Amino acid sequence: MTSSCPNCYCGNTTSIYQSALACTQNSAWGASCCQCIINHASTANLYAVSFNATNNATTVGLWGISSVQWEMCSHGKPPCSFNANYLCAGLLYKAGGNTWYNFPACQACSCCNQS
């Protein structure tokens, strides 16, 4: 995560959330991939914000939901709260054929085609 971003949508507060607990919220999610996605995307910081200058996208929250996906899952707003981020994660997971394909961190976790 970067400490410098053009828009810190979720503020500058750090709130560490147990990735194992977050991943139990959806019984379809494989624990190891879910936890890897969270740890890679946000280091388990509920309010994580990261800007990627390469694709001009910002990711927010535990699951690192990309700004490219905000319209689809949160009416164009950054899903900063746990509930908003969790709902987006569920929609993206389902849209990816019940895999982690739509998550920016899936490649780093070798989980893009896994449940």
Side-chain angles (χ1 to χ4, degrees), residues 35-99:
Q35 289 179 38
C36 183
I37 296 284
I38 287 175
N39 292 328
H40 185 79
S42 66
T43 57
N45 178 6
L46 181 60
Y47 303 119
V49 176
S50 181
F51 178 72
N52 183 333
T54 304
N55 64 2
N56 201 34
T58 301
T59 60
V60 300
L62 284 178
W63 286 276
I65 307 299
S66 173
S67 54
V68 174
Q69 301 156 324
W70 295 352
E71 190 63 43
M72 171 207 170
C73 68
S74 62
H75 308 289
K77 297 178 183 175
C80 294
S81 72
F82 176 84
N83 286 340
N85 207 256
Y86 169 73
L87 290 173
C88 278
L91 290 170
L92 295 174
Y93 184 85
K94 187 174 182 178
N98 294 321
T99 69

